[in-house]
Amino acid sequence: MRKTLLTVLLIMVVVLSACSNDSSAPASEEEVQETVQNFYNEMSKFDEMGKSSLESFNTTLTSYSTGKATDKELEKAVDEFQDTASDIADQVKDVKISKNLPKNVQTLLMDAAIAFQSAYSIKEQASQGAVSPEVTADEFNALNQQADVAMLYGISKLNEARVAVGLLEEDSAAEAELGTAAGTAAETDGSADTAQKSGANAGTSTVTGSESGNTAN
């Protein structure tokens, strides 16, 4: 028993010592920029995956609302979109954020990652509501608006990080976010019942958007 306690204490001392003696040097300006750019590239990759899956889902949903797609085709589209959204949320969660970054940049990237993960998780939930008779069009819209708010928040935090490290001009970031928000608002206007759900589901804001070309050289 005494030997076990000593072993546990020794392990705790080693762990605490490792935590308190983190001698990793702060990243250089170039390394910080590269890390933030790589994070942006990762989020953009997930965004493209999400958009492609969403477009396919919306096409089938619209076809179903006009009688051109069967129940089985719609169920398949829902399953595929849910799988993609769930997979993206898991991959975003697994993205590592370097502890060598300045604290403010590290926090901004963590906030962005959490927001993106939430957005895709909510989209996964909403997709099931698109074919559920128990979910009204208003409830479906509300879920998609929550996902859009989460996505826009993530974009805002990611752009703040890019501005902070000199990869993006502040004015360009603001313009990009306004453009994304306007596009999202326009796309979320739907009609009623299934058609309204289809229109609302198309309103996923994107990470890349119009500001993707504003990266500093």
Side-chain angles (χ1 to χ4, degrees):
M1 179 68 175
R2 185 175 179 182
K3 185 177 180 180
T4 301
L5 288 173
L6 288 173
T7 302
V8 171
L9 286 173
L10 180 60
I11 292 173
M12 289 178 65
V13 169
V14 171
V15 171
L16 290 173
S17 177
C19 292
S20 61
N21 292 311
D22 183 6
S23 58
S24 53
S28 66
E29 181 179 349
E30 291 75 15
E31 289 172 333
V32 170
Q33 287 186 335
E34 182 179 1
T35 299
V36 173
Q37 183 61 43
N38 287 339
F39 182 90
Y40 173 81
N41 292 341
E42 282 290 297
M43 295 305 108
S44 298
K45 179 186 72 176
F46 298 145
D47 181 51
E48 289 301 317
M49 290 171 57
K51 285 194 295 185
S52 176
S53 179
L54 183 64
E55 287 172 3
S56 177
F57 172 72
N58 279 341
T59 297
T60 304
L61 185 55
T62 300
S63 296
Y64 180 80
S65 69
T66 57
K68 297 179 181 178
T70 65
D71 290 347
K72 183 173 290 187
E73 289 173 326
L74 182 58
E75 289 175 7
K76 180 181 178 181
V78 169
D79 288 342
E80 289 177 348
F81 179 73
Q82 285 186 312
D83 288 344
T84 299
S86 178
D87 185 47
I88 293 174
D90 288 341
Q91 290 188 58
V92 171
K93 183 179 180 180
D94 290 338
V95 171
K96 304 299 181 183
I97 299 173
S98 174
K99 294 183 179 180
N100 291 346
L101 294 172
K103 189 64 178 178
N104 66 315
V105 176
Q106 188 181 144
T107 299
L108 288 169
L109 295 186
M110 289 177 64
D111 287 348
I114 292 171
F116 291 140
Q117 183 189 354
S118 297
Y120 290 118
S121 294
I122 295 171
K123 277 295 178 184
E124 179 188 0
Q125 297 173 32
S127 63
Q128 185 59 50
V131 293
S132 173
E134 298 178 1
V135 177
T136 67
D138 286 342
E139 291 171 336
F140 182 79
N141 280 334
L143 277 174
N144 281 282
Q145 286 169 6
Q146 289 176 29
D148 290 338
V149 168
M151 182 68 79
L152 288 171
Y153 181 79
I155 293 170
S156 174
K157 292 303 174 181
L158 178 52
N159 281 341
E160 283 185 48
R162 296 171 72 202
V163 169
V165 302
L167 288 173
L168 184 67
E169 295 293 332
E170 192 167 358
D171 290 344
S172 298
E175 289 175 5
E177 287 166 23
L178 285 172
T180 303
T184 300
E187 289 174 340
T188 52
D189 288 332
S191 54
D193 301 327
T194 306
Q196 183 177 15
K197 291 181 180 180
S198 175
N201 204 64
T204 302
S205 46
T206 61
V207 174
T208 51
S210 59
E211 49 40 287
S212 57
N214 293 324
T215 304
N217 295 322

